Each structure stands twice: as C-alpha cells, then as structure tokens.
Amino acid sequence: MTALTIAKRESSGWGWFWARLALPVLAAAVLLSSLAQPRPALSAADPASFLERYGDRAISLLSDGSRSEAERGGDFRQLLSEGFDLESISAFVLTPYWRQASEDQRQRFLAAFQSVLANRFLPLFQGAKSESFAIESTRSIGGRDDLFSVETVLLGDNGRRVKTSWRIKRSGESFRILDVSVEGASMAHTFRDEYRAYVRRSDQGIDGLIEQLERRSAG
C-alpha cells in the first residue's frame, strides 16, 4: 500500500491532515537512502544535518523487507522516541491537563501517544523511494540559538511541490523535533485541538483520553 493510497482512504474527520502530512514525513525518511556505516544517528552539527541523518536512520531500519511488521514497528517507536521530543509535544498537546496529570497518567499517555504516532506513520514508508526531498532553508526562531525552523519541499512524481516546516530544538549535542507543519497545518496543533476537545467532552477526563488512545494503538 502506498502513501498516496492511504491518503485517499483517510477522507473524513481529521484524516485530511494525515493525508497532507504523509508525503513530507516520508521524505524525512528517504533523504539519504543509501546505507551508511554505523554512526550516532542523531548527533549533528546543525538541524538540517540532523534531519538528513534521521532520514538515513529511518530508511535503514524500515526498508528492510526481511524484518516482520512487529519488528519494524518496534524500530519505528524507538526512532520516534529518539527524534521527537514526545514529552514536550505531550505537554503542549494536553495543556493545561498535562500540569494536572499524575506521573502515572503522563507515562501512560506518552506510551499510548508514541504507539498512535507509530501506527499512523509506519505504513506511509511503503513506496518512499519514489519521492524526492530537499531542504530549502534553516533559520533560528526568535533569535534563539536553540530553536530552529527547517523549511523543506517534497517533489512528488506528479511535479507537485509540498512545502513542509520542521520545528526543531537543540538538545545537548543533538536536536529533537517539536512539530511538523504541512502547508501551514501543524501536527502538534491538530493533536492539541482533538485531544483537548475529547477531554472536555469526556466524563472520565484525561483517563478517558488515555484509554481511548490505548484502544486505538492496540487496534
């Protein structure tokens, strides 16, 4: 199943965002499709190099047809935890509920959220090598030396250019992804709007959301 097939299927609800996000996320994984010698995958001198190395790591792990889907899923969940700042994203998505959550609730949400992301993104790597990805520019945000926006473009087979912006922060000697925006549609804001609305409607509050995500990730 290709990314374009999945995009066509997700035609209702908030699937429109994932349809737009699918190809740019694929692109991050196919920047350097040739396998490299083992190296620290996320150590990089600048955010653009980080995205390149992150893509190299992703394609190395996920394009191996000899590995089972469960094995590739485990690899991808590990890759998400290494490349995305899941705790910062979760705190943003659940504000103000994150501040009120217990440590157990936070850990359960993080585990379920990671699985939801993996289940959403993993199938999109099918057919990734047919796409082309390029980094257009990198700039600091607000004059800071630890927060960056990396602008990229995906060139599809039909010649369409899909603009994507990656919000990346410096984390020690490397970088972590905070958000991905596709033609102005933010992944983090999309999750925030859906999850906070669910908590407000649910009689069980954040526990109801966590249980829903756990069911979704298990199914």
Side-chain angles (χ1 to χ4, degrees), residues 14 16-18 20-21 89 92-93 121 163-165 167 178-194:
W14 66 307
W16 67 270
F17 174 78
W18 294 104
R20 295 171 68 184
L21 183 63
I89 296 170
F92 172 79
V93 165
F121 287 145
K163 295 280 189 177
T164 310
S165 179
R167 189 178 181 91
L178 293 176
D179 195 12
V180 185
S181 296
V182 183
E183 297 178 343
S186 160
M187 177 192 73
H189 283 81
T190 299
F191 277 124
R192 183 192 64 178
D193 293 345
E194 182 192 10

Short mmCIF file of all heavy atoms in Angstrom, two decimals, residues 14 16-18 20-21 89 92-93 121 163-165 167 178-194:
data_model
loop_
_atom_site.label_atom_id
_atom_site.label_comp_id
_atom_site.label_asym_id
_atom_site.label_seq_id
_atom_site.Cartn_x
_atom_site.Cartn_y
_atom_site.Cartn_z
N TRP A 14 -10.33 13.94 10.99
CA TRP A 14 -9.04 14.64 10.95
C TRP A 14 -8.06 13.92 10.04
O TRP A 14 -6.88 14.25 10.00
CB TRP A 14 -8.49 14.83 12.36
CG TRP A 14 -8.11 13.58 13.06
CD1 TRP A 14 -8.86 12.48 13.27
CD2 TRP A 14 -6.85 13.31 13.68
NE1 TRP A 14 -8.18 11.55 13.96
CE2 TRP A 14 -6.95 12.02 14.24
CE3 TRP A 14 -5.67 14.02 13.82
CZ2 TRP A 14 -5.90 11.43 14.93
CZ3 TRP A 14 -4.63 13.44 14.51
CH2 TRP A 14 -4.74 12.15 15.05
N TRP A 16 -7.78 14.29 6.97
CA TRP A 16 -7.28 15.22 5.95
C TRP A 16 -5.88 15.69 6.29
O TRP A 16 -5.04 15.87 5.41
CB TRP A 16 -8.21 16.44 5.85
CG TRP A 16 -8.17 17.29 7.08
CD1 TRP A 16 -8.95 17.18 8.17
CD2 TRP A 16 -7.29 18.39 7.33
NE1 TRP A 16 -8.61 18.11 9.10
CE2 TRP A 16 -7.60 18.87 8.62
CE3 TRP A 16 -6.27 19.00 6.59
CZ2 TRP A 16 -6.93 19.94 9.19
CZ3 TRP A 16 -5.60 20.07 7.16
CH2 TRP A 16 -5.93 20.53 8.44
N PHE A 17 -5.62 15.89 7.59
CA PHE A 17 -4.29 16.36 7.97
C PHE A 17 -3.25 15.30 7.70
O PHE A 17 -2.16 15.57 7.18
CB PHE A 17 -4.27 16.75 9.46
CG PHE A 17 -2.88 17.10 9.93
CD1 PHE A 17 -2.33 18.34 9.63
CD2 PHE A 17 -2.12 16.20 10.65
CE1 PHE A 17 -1.06 18.66 10.04
CE2 PHE A 17 -0.85 16.51 11.06
CZ PHE A 17 -0.31 17.75 10.77
N TRP A 18 -3.56 14.03 8.06
CA TRP A 18 -2.59 12.96 7.84
C TRP A 18 -2.35 12.73 6.36
O TRP A 18 -1.24 12.37 5.95
CB TRP A 18 -3.09 11.69 8.53
CG TRP A 18 -3.10 11.86 10.01
CD1 TRP A 18 -4.18 12.07 10.80
CD2 TRP A 18 -1.98 11.92 10.87
NE1 TRP A 18 -3.80 12.25 12.10
CE2 TRP A 18 -2.46 12.15 12.17
CE3 TRP A 18 -0.60 11.79 10.67
CZ2 TRP A 18 -1.61 12.26 13.27
CZ3 TRP A 18 0.25 11.89 11.76
CH2 TRP A 18 -0.26 12.13 13.04
N ARG A 20 -2.25 15.06 4.15
CA ARG A 20 -1.30 16.11 3.75
C ARG A 20 0.08 15.89 4.36
O ARG A 20 1.10 16.23 3.78
CB ARG A 20 -1.84 17.48 4.18
CG ARG A 20 -3.12 17.88 3.49
CD ARG A 20 -3.72 19.12 4.09
NE ARG A 20 -2.90 20.30 3.82
CZ ARG A 20 -3.18 21.50 4.32
NH1 ARG A 20 -4.23 21.67 5.09
NH2 ARG A 20 -2.40 22.53 4.03
N LEU A 21 0.09 15.28 5.55
CA LEU A 21 1.36 15.09 6.24
C LEU A 21 2.14 13.88 5.74
O LEU A 21 3.35 13.81 5.88
CB LEU A 21 1.09 14.93 7.74
CG LEU A 21 2.29 14.78 8.67
CD1 LEU A 21 3.14 16.04 8.62
CD2 LEU A 21 1.83 14.50 10.09
N ILE A 89 6.06 17.71 23.34
CA ILE A 89 4.88 17.71 22.48
C ILE A 89 3.64 17.36 23.30
O ILE A 89 2.58 17.99 23.17
CB ILE A 89 5.05 16.73 21.31
CG1 ILE A 89 6.21 17.16 20.41
CG2 ILE A 89 3.76 16.63 20.49
CD1 ILE A 89 6.60 16.13 19.37
N PHE A 92 2.49 20.23 25.44
CA PHE A 92 1.79 21.23 24.62
C PHE A 92 0.40 20.76 24.23
O PHE A 92 -0.57 21.50 24.34
CB PHE A 92 2.61 21.54 23.37
CG PHE A 92 1.89 22.42 22.38
CD1 PHE A 92 1.81 23.78 22.58
CD2 PHE A 92 1.28 21.88 21.26
CE1 PHE A 92 1.14 24.60 21.69
CE2 PHE A 92 0.60 22.68 20.36
CZ PHE A 92 0.53 24.05 20.57
N VAL A 93 0.32 19.51 23.79
CA VAL A 93 -0.96 18.97 23.31
C VAL A 93 -2.01 18.96 24.42
O VAL A 93 -3.18 19.26 24.18
CB VAL A 93 -0.74 17.55 22.75
CG1 VAL A 93 -2.06 16.82 22.57
CG2 VAL A 93 0.01 17.61 21.42
N PHE A 121 2.25 6.58 11.17
CA PHE A 121 3.33 6.88 10.24
C PHE A 121 3.95 5.67 9.57
O PHE A 121 4.38 5.74 8.43
CB PHE A 121 4.44 7.65 10.96
CG PHE A 121 4.09 9.07 11.28
CD1 PHE A 121 4.56 9.67 12.44
CD2 PHE A 121 3.30 9.83 10.43
CE1 PHE A 121 4.25 10.99 12.75
CE2 PHE A 121 2.98 11.14 10.73
CZ PHE A 121 3.45 11.71 11.89
N LYS A 163 5.23 22.05 0.53
CA LYS A 163 6.05 22.79 1.48
C LYS A 163 5.84 22.23 2.88
O LYS A 163 4.72 22.03 3.33
CB LYS A 163 5.68 24.26 1.47
CG LYS A 163 5.97 24.97 0.15
CD LYS A 163 7.44 25.33 0.05
CE LYS A 163 7.70 26.24 -1.16
NZ LYS A 163 9.10 26.66 -1.23
N THR A 164 6.95 22.01 3.58
CA THR A 164 6.89 21.47 4.93
C THR A 164 7.87 22.22 5.82
O THR A 164 8.98 22.54 5.39
CB THR A 164 7.27 19.97 4.94
OG1 THR A 164 6.52 19.29 3.94
CG2 THR A 164 7.01 19.35 6.29
N SER A 165 7.43 22.49 7.04
CA SER A 165 8.28 23.19 8.00
C SER A 165 8.44 22.33 9.25
O SER A 165 7.46 21.85 9.81
CB SER A 165 7.65 24.54 8.39
OG SER A 165 8.46 25.21 9.34
N ARG A 167 9.84 22.20 13.09
CA ARG A 167 10.26 22.98 14.25
C ARG A 167 11.17 22.08 15.09
O ARG A 167 10.74 21.03 15.57
CB ARG A 167 9.04 23.42 15.07
CG ARG A 167 9.35 24.42 16.18
CD ARG A 167 8.05 24.82 16.87
NE ARG A 167 8.24 25.78 17.93
CZ ARG A 167 8.19 27.10 17.76
NH1 ARG A 167 7.93 27.61 16.55
NH2 ARG A 167 8.37 27.92 18.77
N LEU A 178 9.98 19.13 17.39
CA LEU A 178 8.85 19.58 18.20
C LEU A 178 7.54 19.58 17.42
O LEU A 178 6.47 19.41 17.99
CB LEU A 178 9.10 20.98 18.75
CG LEU A 178 10.21 21.14 19.78
CD1 LEU A 178 10.37 22.62 20.13
CD2 LEU A 178 9.93 20.33 21.04
N ASP A 179 7.63 19.80 16.11
CA ASP A 179 6.41 19.90 15.32
C ASP A 179 6.75 19.78 13.85
O ASP A 179 7.88 20.04 13.42
CB ASP A 179 5.71 21.24 15.58
CG ASP A 179 4.27 21.27 15.08
OD1 ASP A 179 3.73 20.20 14.74
OD2 ASP A 179 3.69 22.37 15.03
N VAL A 180 5.76 19.37 13.06
CA VAL A 180 5.86 19.32 11.61
C VAL A 180 4.63 20.01 11.05
O VAL A 180 3.50 19.66 11.41
CB VAL A 180 5.91 17.87 11.08
CG1 VAL A 180 6.14 17.87 9.57
CG2 VAL A 180 6.98 17.06 11.80
N SER A 181 4.83 21.00 10.20
CA SER A 181 3.71 21.71 9.57
C SER A 181 3.74 21.49 8.07
O SER A 181 4.79 21.65 7.44
CB SER A 181 3.77 23.21 9.87
OG SER A 181 3.61 23.45 11.25
N VAL A 182 2.60 21.12 7.51
CA VAL A 182 2.48 20.87 6.08
C VAL A 182 1.56 21.91 5.48
O VAL A 182 0.37 21.95 5.80
CB VAL A 182 1.92 19.45 5.81
CG1 VAL A 182 1.87 19.18 4.31
CG2 VAL A 182 2.74 18.41 6.53
N GLU A 183 2.14 22.78 4.66
CA GLU A 183 1.37 23.86 4.03
C GLU A 183 0.54 24.60 5.08
O GLU A 183 -0.62 24.92 4.87
CB GLU A 183 0.49 23.29 2.91
CG GLU A 183 1.31 22.66 1.79
CD GLU A 183 0.45 22.06 0.70
OE1 GLU A 183 -0.75 21.84 0.94
OE2 GLU A 183 0.97 21.84 -0.40
N GLY A 184 1.17 24.85 6.23
CA GLY A 184 0.53 25.62 7.29
C GLY A 184 -0.25 24.82 8.31
O GLY A 184 -0.70 25.37 9.32
N ALA A 185 -0.44 23.51 8.08
CA ALA A 185 -1.19 22.67 9.02
C ALA A 185 -0.22 22.01 9.99
O ALA A 185 0.63 21.22 9.59
CB ALA A 185 -1.99 21.61 8.26
N SER A 186 -0.34 22.32 11.27
CA SER A 186 0.58 21.84 12.29
C SER A 186 0.13 20.52 12.89
O SER A 186 -1.02 20.38 13.31
CB SER A 186 0.71 22.90 13.39
OG SER A 186 1.20 22.34 14.59
N MET A 187 1.06 19.55 12.96
CA MET A 187 0.78 18.28 13.60
C MET A 187 0.43 18.48 15.07
O MET A 187 -0.58 17.95 15.57
CB MET A 187 1.98 17.35 13.48
CG MET A 187 1.82 16.02 14.19
SD MET A 187 3.38 15.08 14.32
CE MET A 187 4.23 16.05 15.59
N ALA A 188 1.25 19.25 15.80
CA ALA A 188 1.04 19.44 17.23
C ALA A 188 -0.28 20.14 17.51
O ALA A 188 -1.02 19.78 18.43
CB ALA A 188 2.21 20.23 17.83
N HIS A 189 -0.61 21.16 16.72
CA HIS A 189 -1.87 21.88 16.92
C HIS A 189 -3.07 21.00 16.59
O HIS A 189 -4.13 21.11 17.22
CB HIS A 189 -1.90 23.15 16.07
CG HIS A 189 -1.08 24.26 16.64
ND1 HIS A 189 0.29 24.34 16.47
CD2 HIS A 189 -1.43 25.34 17.39
CE1 HIS A 189 0.74 25.42 17.08
NE2 HIS A 189 -0.26 26.04 17.66
N THR A 190 -2.93 20.12 15.59
CA THR A 190 -4.01 19.20 15.25
C THR A 190 -4.30 18.25 16.40
O THR A 190 -5.46 18.03 16.77
CB THR A 190 -3.66 18.41 13.97
OG1 THR A 190 -3.49 19.32 12.89
CG2 THR A 190 -4.76 17.42 13.63
N PHE A 191 -3.24 17.65 16.96
CA PHE A 191 -3.41 16.79 18.12
C PHE A 191 -4.01 17.57 19.29
O PHE A 191 -4.89 17.07 19.99
CB PHE A 191 -2.07 16.19 18.55
CG PHE A 191 -1.66 14.97 17.77
CD1 PHE A 191 -0.46 14.93 17.11
CD2 PHE A 191 -2.49 13.86 17.71
CE1 PHE A 191 -0.07 13.80 16.41
CE2 PHE A 191 -2.11 12.72 17.01
CZ PHE A 191 -0.90 12.70 16.36
N ARG A 192 -3.50 18.78 19.54
CA ARG A 192 -3.99 19.57 20.66
C ARG A 192 -5.49 19.81 20.55
O ARG A 192 -6.24 19.62 21.51
CB ARG A 192 -3.25 20.91 20.73
CG ARG A 192 -3.66 21.75 21.93
CD ARG A 192 -3.14 23.16 21.81
NE ARG A 192 -3.73 23.85 20.67
CZ ARG A 192 -3.48 25.12 20.36
NH1 ARG A 192 -2.62 25.82 21.08
NH2 ARG A 192 -4.05 25.68 19.30
N ASP A 193 -5.93 20.23 19.37
CA ASP A 193 -7.35 20.55 19.19
C ASP A 193 -8.22 19.31 19.42
O ASP A 193 -9.28 19.39 20.05
CB ASP A 193 -7.60 21.12 17.80
CG ASP A 193 -6.95 22.49 17.61
OD1 ASP A 193 -6.57 23.11 18.62
OD2 ASP A 193 -6.83 22.93 16.45
N GLU A 194 -7.79 18.16 18.88
CA GLU A 194 -8.59 16.95 19.02
C GLU A 194 -8.59 16.44 20.46
O GLU A 194 -9.64 16.14 21.03
CB GLU A 194 -8.07 15.84 18.10
CG GLU A 194 -8.94 14.58 18.21
CD GLU A 194 -8.32 13.36 17.55
OE1 GLU A 194 -7.14 13.42 17.16
OE2 GLU A 194 -9.02 12.34 17.45
#
